[in-house]
Amino acid sequence: MNLRLALLLALAAAVPAHAARALYDFNPGWKLTVGDPANAARPAFDDSGWKAVSLPHAWNEDDAFRKDIADLSTGIAWYRKHFRVPGLKPGQKVFLEFEGARQAAEVFVNGRRVALHENGISAFGVEIAAALVDGDNVVAVRTDNRWDYREQATGQRFQWNDKNFFANYGGLPKNVRLHVTEPVYQTLPLYGSLGTTGVYVYARDFDIPHRKATITAESQVRNDSARAHRVAYEVELRDKDGKRVARFDAPAQTIAPGATVTLKAGAPVAGLNFWSWGYGYLYDVVTTLEVDGEPLDAVTTRTGFRKTAFRNGMIELNDRVIQVHGYAQRTTNEWPAVGSAVPAWLSDYSNGLALASNANLIRWMHVTPWKQDVESLDRLGMMEAMPAGDSEADVKDRRWEQRLDVMRDAIVYNRNNPSIVFYESGNKGVSADHMRAMKALRDEFDPYGGRAAGSREMLSRELQHVAEYGGEMLYINKSAGMPMWAMEYARDEALRKYWDDLSPPYHRDGDGPLYKGQDASVYNRNQDSFAIEDVQRWYDYWRERPGTGTRVSSGGVNIVFSDSNTHHRGAENYRRSGEVDAMRIAKDAFYAHQVMWDGWVDVEHPRAHIVGHWNYPAGTVKPVTVVSSADHVKLFLNGKEVGPAVQSARFLFTFDRVAQDKVAWAAGELKAVGYDAHGKPVCETTLATAGAPVALKLTPIVSPQGLRADGADMALVQVEVVDAASRRHPLALDMVDFDVQGPAEWRGGIAQGPDNYVLARSLPVEGGVNRVLLRTTPQAGRIVVRARAQGLAPAEVVLESKPVTLKDGLAALPPAPPVHLDRGPTPSTPSFTVSRVAVPVTASDAPDGSKSYDDDETTAWTSQAGATPAITYTLARPARLAQVVLKLTGWRDRSYPLKVYVDGREAWSGQTPKSLGYVTLPLQPVQGRTVRIELAGRAEEGGGIKLTEVANQANTATGTKGVSTEVLSIVEAEFYERP
């Protein structure tokens, strides 16, 4: 090894030995003040009275979940930090990389203003070498998170700076890094601030069965020296264990001074492990510049490789069809008294729970997620949809340009992250021209990433020729072309504290105040009805899954995963739509999803879950609901069968011994056993009666790599009220007093009560359990947590924080959390069995009848006033039809009395149910080629599926405006036979 390389490697001691650039953790060692003191940017300014913090850190974090989103504190706050860059030589480049700021940030180095960033979303960077001095340097950042902040150059507000959904955690709530490079270097992917694109790694020519693909790496390279250099390019692919699995390179070329070029190398690679759902296999791709014969710059890009396709109404991952199911999660992904600023392992813990519920997709809402959450889903093996920034409207002029800028920057910054599968151009539909503009960004900056560009809605045939996916937020959409999946569904809310009407604190299901003058009972549910609602809503999508015909639903995402400090409609001042609460404690709906979603499309691993608990007073009678993906379920109480079950919505089994008597409670064990279609038991679950509460139990939840004393790491401590057998008591509501000794900062938890008990040292358990957060300080040591409650044995837990070396304001990057591989590689078997076959329509006897079978849900055929309200379809071939599937105008609000005839013989007669999209009419099996659908009376209105308090009422429209109840109006008609 030559002397020059040895010196460079010594400089880069903060990163792995193969890297010839220095990369430092710039998070520790900041000072913070709220306000706008004069001269705060000057190096000599006295900040000794400011608060010491480590990033990420929102200055108004105390407000998180204590205040309504609209009341979160806003204004000016300053952050300052002293640092030195070791061994800096003339000509070297020094970059500060901010993963983001809220809303605006002005950056000063040694008093010189070096950057302004204003959009509140994107990562940004600044090259600061010219502003540095020998010895001590000071970086100061002035942040402004006012809701009405306006872009300095244009006076334009940002559409997404919105009190509805984008919780305002101000300042620097994301990570900061410092890079030191040689004058010839690979650029950073910070387009909006630096104008550079960094490294791009991608795979093509996939051979999934033989685990092969062609891997290519491209690096944008700049020569900021005063002379030309010969630069060669080498790429090394390393597996998750650091073993080299491939190496390829590109020949040297001369790069002129001041020039920027792209170097590229690629090669076929065999033996690859493809990234997949629940299989977050990642590689390190090390790209190295050899400058004039010496390796002087190496960048490590962590990425994964997967094949995608979006066609025939379906989504394919590694050649296997997958129906998406997951959550529309607020991008802030916040915690009480912390906001979004959490360590990486806690992001993995939270997102990992979503994966444990068998979600396969997170649709981040409205704004681009921060890098930490993107990388978290990489490690977990969770697909994600990445938005730019918006509210619920298309916009124009500078506001549209702002959205384009954010999408461009987000694509460049995140295009190596395999978890991103969808680029979302709008939370509400965008115009065809705007969709083309967004796709053009994808095509320019990420042409080989295998990602679909689309938007919410995009239902019309015109837009389907432009977008690559779409789907509404409230209804079931289907397509034979581009995939359609629901951008959000199941908007109801439930507090975890409430089990059912019969359990303390005896909250009657639906009790709560009106919201904007409207009934808000569905936003004040108990846990049992909340879980049942979630099951019923998902079944609407699963029923139209791949394998059920030519036009299918590609799934949907439930809003939200964790309770959120955003727009709410229930009694509390935050949204409780989560399947886990704000401390990520599961509600019953979590387990319901775990049951329903354990498969790529069809059920692959049967499960069962009994809704609720089994601790009631003697004499209690109640229905028992079991959520199961088995074909049949039996219920046993202390070994004796309870039954029979009434099955509804495929996954719901309700047990009432007698309709009036229900199930009589008895202490002991309640067991549900699921059976397949042949009567073989395939799954089971139990509930047991807990004994009298006797003690508290504390359980620490920390990073797999231990607790770091860096001033930003955190520990969760769970407290439970347990019986003599250490079983949680599901009805306990005891107040618990906490005491913490040692180098830790109390951040607490949340519960129903004054200020939601945020930051309180005493707070109650709910349903027998709660959790609190502690944050480490820069001092390492022993942390003792004690918990006491009246009448219960106390508990104690001891944590140990490990020292983190901080020298001259710089630290080594913390190790990345481990990848998650539990689900294994993509199965090679089909993900579904064809359950019905569509018979195409070739013609109809009605003018514009084709609008009812054109795969365009924005068009409909409507019978003419005064004419017979009927239509006859001619099929492509004779068939023994089993079902007619219809989407009828007013599907949520109207019920149509219909008669269906096949070749003149009546095959169905009745009243259609109201639905969130499609209805299935089972036919008496009749062979034929013509199908006549006839309205047999006036359509009934009223008593439909309510969608209360939707902010934009246009989103609830079902096309009935101006359409009489005396006409027949069909959006889409489909005809099916058995396979």
Side-chain angles (χ1 to χ4, degrees):
M1 180 184 296
N2 62 47
L3 179 60
R4 178 174 173 81
L5 180 57
L7 289 172
L8 286 169
L9 291 176
L11 178 66
V15 290
H18 64 264
R21 66 162 62 185
L23 177 58
Y24 299 99
D25 184 357
F26 209 64
N27 282 337
W30 289 79
K31 291 289 195 74
L32 164 66
T33 193
V34 179
D36 197 11
N39 303 317
R42 293 183 179 179
F45 181 87
D46 181 9
D47 60 14
S48 59
W50 292 18
K51 180 181 180 180
V53 300
S54 290
L55 302 184
H57 187 101
W59 66 264
N60 60 346
E61 64 175 5
D62 291 1
D63 291 352
F65 284 93
R66 183 170 63 91
K67 293 183 178 181
D68 185 294
I69 182 175
D71 299 324
L72 295 174
S73 300
T74 61
I76 310 300
W78 281 84
Y79 294 74
R80 282 171 54 94
K81 176 183 173 79
H82 291 255
F83 69 102
R84 296 170 184 257
V85 180
L88 187 64
K89 300 187 294 293
Q92 286 187 312
K93 314 289 290 185
V94 182
F95 296 92
L96 280 176
E97 176 191 358
F98 294 82
E99 289 186 356
R102 180 73 183 273
Q103 171 70 34
E106 292 180 87
V107 182
F108 302 83
V109 174
N110 296 325
R112 180 191 301 184
R113 186 176 186 265
V114 294
L116 170 65
H117 182 73
E118 300 180 279
N119 69 34
I121 298 176
S122 303
F124 64 100
V126 57
E127 205 283 310
I128 63 172
L132 297 178
V133 298
D134 291 336
D136 184 61
N137 293 273
V138 177
V139 58
V141 184
R142 180 184 186 270
T143 66
D144 183 345
N145 75 322
R146 288 173 294 179
W147 287 113
D148 60 353
Y149 181 87
R150 293 181 180 272
E151 195 173 40
Q152 290 186 15
T154 66
Q156 178 62 60
R157 291 181 61 182
F158 293 90
Q159 185 191 13
W160 50 85
N161 197 16
D162 187 291
K163 295 180 182 180
N164 182 341
F165 53 82
F166 192 15
N168 196 338
Y169 305 124
L172 298 178
K174 300 180 183 180
N175 300 303
V176 184
R177 305 283 183 255
L178 185 137
H179 305 250
V180 182
T181 77
E182 290 298 299
V184 181
Y185 62 98
Q186 298 171 76
T187 65
L188 274 64
L190 298 169
Y191 193 94
S193 49
L194 299 177
T196 55
T197 56
V199 178
Y200 181 35
V201 181
Y202 52 89
R204 301 180 74 186
D205 306 323
F206 288 93
D207 182 343
I208 298 297
H210 297 97
R211 299 173 56 195
K212 297 178 181 178
T214 298
I215 307 300
T216 303
E218 301 178 2
S219 289
Q220 186 186 62
V221 178
R222 294 193 66 162
N223 179 4
D224 280 340
S225 73
R227 67 181 182 88
H229 292 275
R230 291 283 290 173
V231 181
Y233 185 59
E234 177 185 295
V235 180
E236 185 173 291
L237 184 65
R238 299 180 178 181
D239 67 15
K240 69 177 183 65
D241 299 315
K243 179 183 176 182
R244 187 172 82 179
V245 296
R247 179 194 172 280
F248 40 93
D249 54 28
Q253 68 180 75
T254 299
I255 303 178
T260 301
V261 302
T262 298
L263 301 183
K264 175 180 176 180
V269 179
L272 288 170
N273 294 289
F274 293 116
W275 187 94
S276 187
W277 173 30
Y279 189 71
Y281 201 100
L282 300 176
Y283 289 88
D284 282 340
V285 180
V286 184
T287 50
T288 302
L289 303 183
E290 189 175 87
V291 182
D292 299 331
E294 298 182 14
L296 292 186
D297 186 55
V299 173
T300 300
T301 301
R302 178 154 288 186
T303 190
F305 308 112
R306 79 287 181 275
K307 180 183 180 184
T308 58
F310 311 92
R311 59 194 176 194
N312 303 323
M314 297 182 287
I315 302 160
E316 297 175 22
L317 178 62
N318 300 330
D319 292 340
R320 197 176 202 237
V321 173
I322 189 166
Q323 187 181 34
V324 301
H325 38 71
Y327 304 99
Q329 181 75 336
R330 302 300 193 191
T331 302
T332 39
N333 208 10
E334 64 267 27
W335 295 73
V338 170
S340 56
V342 298
W345 78 266
L346 200 51
S347 293
D348 280 21
Y349 178 78
S350 176
N351 297 328
L353 285 171
L355 176 64
S357 76
N358 285 318
N360 58 35
L361 175 79
I362 298 293
R363 178 208 175 219
W364 301 108
M365 298 190 70
H366 295 282
V367 299
T368 307
W370 70 319
K371 191 70 167 181
Q372 183 168 296
D373 267 324
V374 173
E375 292 175 337
S376 173
L377 298 190
D378 287 347
R379 291 187 291 267
L380 293 167
M382 286 265 283
M383 298 183 293
E384 59 187 302
M386 186 194 81
D390 69 7
S391 187
E392 285 195 337
D394 203 355
V395 288
K396 58 183 180 180
D397 302 327
R398 177 57 191 157
R399 289 197 298 167
W400 176 250
E401 292 172 355
Q402 289 171 337
R403 284 171 58 168
L404 286 176
D405 289 346
V406 171
M407 180 60 87
R408 176 202 62 205
D409 291 357
I411 290 173
V412 170
Y413 197 58
N414 298 301
R415 59 187 178 174
N416 294 312
N417 296 95
S419 54
I420 297 175
V421 175
F422 299 97
Y423 289 142
E424 181 176 293
S425 304
N427 185 65
K428 188 170 173 60
V430 298
S431 69
D433 285 345
H434 282 178
M435 189 67 248
R436 290 186 189 96
M438 285 289 189
K439 278 181 64 179
L441 289 176
R442 190 275 312 271
D443 294 343
E444 179 179 0
F445 294 105
D446 185 23
Y448 308 118
R451 298 176 174 102
S455 174
R456 206 186 94 199
E457 298 181 348
M458 316 311 285
L459 306 179
S460 71
R461 178 162 290 231
E462 175 199 8
L463 290 173
Q464 289 192 47
H465 286 307
V466 182
E468 294 163 338
Y469 75 94
E472 252 301 355
M473 71 174 188
L474 299 171
Y475 303 125
I476 286 75
N477 305 119
K478 300 205 295 183
S479 174
M482 73 179 193
M484 293 284 187
W485 51 276
M487 303 296 146
E488 61 183 80
Y489 72 91
R491 302 157 63 88
D492 298 14
E493 299 184 32
L495 196 67
R496 185 180 62 79
K497 180 178 180 178
Y498 302 145
W499 282 107
D500 55 37
D501 292 6
L502 304 175
S503 303
Y506 304 109
H507 172 267
R508 189 169 64 87
D509 192 44
D511 269 1
L514 299 177
Y515 185 80
K516 293 185 177 181
Q518 297 185 40
D519 175 70
S521 57
V522 297
Y523 303 115
N524 291 287
R525 287 187 179 275
N526 291 336
Q527 278 207 62
D528 54 358
S529 74
F530 182 65
I532 290 167
E533 172 70 11
D534 273 353
V535 176
Q536 291 171 331
R537 293 287 72 79
W538 170 248
Y539 177 61
D540 290 335
Y541 298 93
W542 188 81
R543 183 174 52 195
E544 310 298 336
R545 67 196 179 278
T548 62
T550 303
R551 301 182 71 248
V552 296
S553 164
S554 272
V557 288
N558 187 324
I559 180 172
V560 291
F561 176 64
S562 58
D563 288 354
S564 172
N565 190 187
T566 54
H567 182 44
H568 54 90
R569 297 168 173 84
E572 314 307 316
N573 69 345
Y574 63 93
R575 188 174 194 131
R576 298 158 301 141
S577 298
E579 277 54 59
V580 298
D581 71 8
M583 300 303 291
R584 277 53 175 184
I585 303 172
K587 304 175 188 178
D588 255 340
F590 172 93
Y591 303 104
H593 287 95
Q594 196 174 60
V595 168
M596 298 184 296
W597 287 351
D598 201 352
W600 284 55
V601 177
D602 288 348
V603 172
E604 295 175 4
H605 305 102
R607 291 176 179 255
H609 172 72
I610 304 171
V611 174
H613 62 88
W614 201 241
N615 272 72
Y616 291 95
T620 299
V621 292
K622 69 184 297 285
V624 174
T625 299
V626 177
V627 182
S628 181
S629 48
D631 291 289
H632 309 285
V633 175
K634 292 183 180 180
L635 188 68
F636 301 88
L637 177 56
N638 295 325
K640 295 182 179 179
E641 185 175 349
V642 177
V646 175
Q647 184 180 8
S648 61
R650 172 61 175 83
F651 301 108
L652 279 178
F653 297 82
T654 304
F655 291 85
D656 283 343
R657 180 169 296 170
V658 180
Q660 292 77 20
D661 189 34
K662 304 182 181 179
V663 177
W665 177 84
E669 181 185 79
L670 190 67
K671 177 188 286 186
V673 180
Y675 301 84
D676 66 14
H678 305 289
K680 176 183 176 183
V682 290
C683 59
E684 68 176 51
T685 188
T686 61
L687 281 179
T689 305
V694 299
L696 295 178
K697 176 183 178 182
L698 294 180
T699 305
I701 303 171
V702 298
S703 166
Q705 296 151 332
L707 193 59
R708 291 166 48 87
D710 60 1
D713 200 4
M714 296 178 185
L716 269 174
V717 178
Q718 178 168 286
V719 59
E720 297 172 272
V721 173
V722 297
D723 66 8
S726 200
R727 294 176 297 194
R728 181 190 303 173
H729 197 288
L731 303 183
L733 298 167
D734 301 77
M735 181 67 70
V736 180
D737 301 319
F738 288 91
D739 177 66
V740 179
Q741 301 293 323
E745 178 188 359
W746 176 262
R747 300 312 300 170
I750 189 171
Q752 187 186 44
D755 291 330
N756 298 322
Y757 284 97
V758 170
L759 290 173
R761 293 281 184 140
S762 299
L763 68 161
V765 296
E766 295 177 336
V769 62
N770 212 329
R771 288 175 181 167
V772 295
L773 270 171
L774 306 177
R775 183 157 55 205
T776 63
T777 72
Q779 290 74 45
R782 188 170 183 264
I783 303 165
V784 181
V785 182
R786 299 182 179 91
R788 292 178 172 83
Q790 187 174 1
L792 301 174
E796 175 180 301
V797 68
V798 177
L799 304 170
E800 191 80 27
S801 62
K802 300 176 182 178
V804 173
T805 301
L806 179 66
K807 183 177 180 181
D808 295 328
L810 307 178
L813 291 178
V819 298
H820 181 105
L821 303 173
D822 288 3
R823 288 194 72 93
T826 302
S828 59
T829 55
S831 59
F832 63 84
T833 300
V834 174
S835 58
R836 62 187 186 188
V837 176
V839 183
V841 176
T842 57
S844 76
D845 67 347
D848 293 328
S850 61
K851 291 182 178 179
S852 65
Y853 56 92
D854 59 358
D855 199 19
D856 183 341
E857 294 182 343
T858 66
T859 65
W861 167 81
T862 303
S863 63
Q864 296 178 359
T868 302
I871 185 172
T872 299
Y873 297 95
T874 301
L875 306 182
R877 56 180 172 79
R880 188 173 177 81
L881 295 179
Q883 293 176 340
V884 171
V885 175
L886 300 173
K887 187 167 192 175
L888 296 158
T889 297
W891 55 87
R892 177 172 57 84
D893 305 304
R894 289 186 178 180
S895 175
Y896 289 80
L898 297 182
K899 291 184 180 293
V900 179
Y901 301 89
V902 177
D903 279 5
R905 288 170 291 176
E906 185 177 299
W908 188 88
S909 177
Q911 200 81 21
T912 64
K914 300 178 178 71
S915 75
L916 289 181
Y918 290 80
V919 296
T920 298
L921 309 181
L923 304 183
Q924 297 177 12
V926 178
Q927 182 82 12
R929 190 175 179 184
T930 63
V931 181
R932 179 178 174 83
I933 300 175
E934 181 179 302
L935 184 67
R938 180 189 292 268
E940 295 180 2
E941 289 189 318
I945 299 172
K946 294 182 179 180
L947 298 174
T948 57
E949 206 298 294
V950 177
N952 184 350
Q953 284 296 309
N955 292 331
T956 69
T958 57
T960 57
K961 186 176 181 180
V963 178
S964 166
T965 56
E966 296 181 347
V967 301
L968 177 60
S969 186
I970 302 175
V971 178
E972 291 291 329
E974 303 164 3
F975 306 94
Y976 291 99
E977 61 183 353
R978 299 296 182 194

